[in-house]
Amino acid sequence: MSNPNLVIDSKQFRNALGAFATGVTIVTTRDGEGTDVGLTASSFNSVSLEPPMILWSLAKTSGSLSAFMTGDYFAVHVLAAEQQSLSDRFSKRGIDKFAGLELERGPGQVPLLGDCAARFKCKTSFRYEGGDHIIFVGEVIEFDHSAHPPLAFHGGKYAKVHPRALENPVDVEDVNSSFNKDYLGFLLGVASMQLYQPVRKDWQQLGLTECGYFVLSVLAAGKHKTQGQIEELLKPSGHRLGDEELGKLLQAELVTVQGDGPARQFDLTSRGHEYAVKLFVQAKSSEQKAIAGLDWDDLALLKNLLKKVIRNTRN
Ligand SMILES: Cc1cc2nc3c(=O)[nH]c(=O)nc-3n(C[C@H](O)[C@H](O)[C@H](O)COP(=O)(O)O)c2cc1C
C-alpha cells in the first residue's frame, strides 16, 4: 500500500536512483504482426540462478508495451562500451530503431543484435504491476557473453567501467626501488623522457637545443611573436629564452625578425617551418606509440588527469 502522506520530490527521487550505477541493455521482442520491437532499459537485474531468471521493467507509457505484454519471448542485450549510439537510438520513439542493423533471430523469432557484452534469450515467466511500470520476469533459455567491456550508466550519464587501479596494477619492468615504482613524479618523468627520446634525437641532429626546439614549436603555432610573448609561452617547459638562443636561431636562418627593441616580432623562415613540421611529425608518431592499448576514453581521462596535476603543481 502506498502512503498517501508521503510527499516525494520526483526530481530528487530520480537523482537518488541515479546514484545506483547500472549497465545499459536493449530489450527486444517481436509483436503479433511480425514487427521487431525494442527499447533501451537500465532496469535489468538478475533474479535467480536456479532456475536462471532475470527481470526488467517497462514504463506503461512505452510504445513497446503491447508487444511485450503479448509476446512469449524477449531478448536482453547488455551493451558494450562501444555501443552507446545503439542505446541512443533505442531510447528514441517513433523511429525505425532496427533500420540497417544486422540481426540474428532467437526463440520466437525475436531480433538479436551483435557485438554485445552479453545476451539473454528469455521466455516471459511473469508480469507484475509496479506503479507506473510493468515488471517482466523472464526465464533464461540461452545466453552468451563476450570480453567486450560494458557500457555503464550513472547519474543520468553514460560511463565506462574502469577497474580500480590497485586491482589492476601495471608493472613497469627494470624499476627496483619500491618508492620510485609508485612515485608520480618518477612515472611522469620516465614517461615524458621516453616519449621525447625520438624527438630529442631529431632536434639534436638538426643542431638545435631543447629550448630552440620549443621556440620553433611556439612560432609554428602562432605568427609575429615578440620575445616577451615567446618567453611567456616557454614558461611551462622551464626554459628561459636568452638573446644568445635567439641569436643562434637567427644565424641558422630558422627564425627571422622584424622591427626593433622589445616590440620586434619573430617568425619562422621557410627552413624553420620545414624543421618544425619534421619535429611535429616525429612527436606525433612518438605519441601514437606511447598510447598503444589506450582507447579514446582512456586517453581523454589520462590527459584530463595530467592537466589537473599540471594545475595543482603550478607555482
Ligand atoms: C540509459 C537509459 C535507460 C532506460 N531505461 C529504461 C527502463 O528501464 N525502462 C523503460 O521503460 N524505459 C527506459 N528508458 C527509456 C526508454 O528507452 C525510452 O522511453 C524509449 O523511447 C521507449 O521506447 P518506446 O516508447 O518505443 O518503447 C531508458 C532510457 C535510457 C537512455
Side-chain angles (χ1 to χ4, degrees), residues 94-107:
I95 57 161
D96 180 0
K97 300 176 185 178
F98 292 89
L101 295 181
E102 258 182 52
L103 300 173
E104 296 164 46
R105 293 286 159 188

Side-chain angles (χ1 to χ4, degrees), residues 7-72:
V7 182
I8 279 205
D9 178 330
S10 61
K11 192 165 171 243
Q12 291 298 329
F13 184 50
R14 258 173 206 263
N15 290 347
L17 291 174
F20 184 58
T22 66
V24 181
T25 74
I26 289 175
V27 191
T28 58
T29 191
R30 199 165 218 224
D31 74 9
E33 281 150 26
T35 306
D36 293 332
V37 172
L39 78 151
T40 303
S42 56
S43 52
F44 171 74
N45 225 314
S46 56
V47 173
S48 152
L49 290 177
E50 195 48 62
M53 293 176 108
I54 55 91
L55 65 73
W56 66 287
S57 64
L58 178 63
K60 286 180 182 168
T61 51
S62 158
S64 313
L65 185 71
S66 65
F68 283 105
M69 290 306 278
T70 51
D72 288 331

Side-chain angles (χ1 to χ4, degrees), residues 49-207:
L49 290 177
E50 195 48 62
M53 293 176 108
I54 55 91
L55 65 73
W56 66 287
S57 64
L58 178 63
K60 286 180 182 168
T61 51
S62 158
S64 313
L65 185 71
S66 65
F68 283 105
M69 290 306 278
T70 51
D72 288 331
Y73 298 95
F74 63 84
V76 180
H77 306 78
V78 177
L79 296 186
E82 304 298 313
Q83 293 179 309
Q84 188 178 318
S85 59
L86 271 186
S87 169
D88 288 336
R89 182 199 282 219
F90 277 81
S91 63
K92 292 198 177 86
R93 295 190 92 151
I95 57 161
D96 180 0
K97 300 176 185 178
F98 292 89
L101 295 181
E102 258 182 52
L103 300 173
E104 296 164 46
R105 293 286 159 188
Q109 292 301 301
V110 299
L112 298 175
L113 310 168
D115 299 322
C116 301
R119 296 189 300 196
F120 300 91
K121 301 162 207 175
C122 304
K123 181 162 180 17
T124 308
S125 300
F126 304 103
R127 298 181 184 94
Y128 300 107
E129 288 259 344
D132 56 7
H133 278 60
I134 302 287
I135 301 159
F136 291 86
V137 178
E139 177 157 359
V140 178
I141 308 167
E142 289 170 30
F143 67 93
D144 52 66
H145 65 108
S146 73
H148 294 307
L151 179 63
F153 196 68
H154 176 240
K157 292 195 183 102
Y158 293 112
K160 225 186 123 182
V161 177
H162 275 280
R164 300 193 79 157
L166 287 177
E167 284 154 27
N168 193 17
V170 179
D171 227 354
V172 180
E173 305 109 41
D174 307 328
V175 181
N176 294 322
S177 150
S178 59
F179 167 70
N180 271 350
K181 241 184 183 176
D182 237 18
Y183 176 54
L184 183 61
F186 173 78
L187 295 173
L188 289 176
V190 173
S192 161
M193 191 184 70
Q194 292 181 177
L195 183 64
Y196 261 124
Q197 197 92 26
V199 195
R200 185 175 297 118
K201 247 190 190 162
D202 266 22
W203 85 58
Q204 281 170 347
Q205 269 171 13
L206 294 173

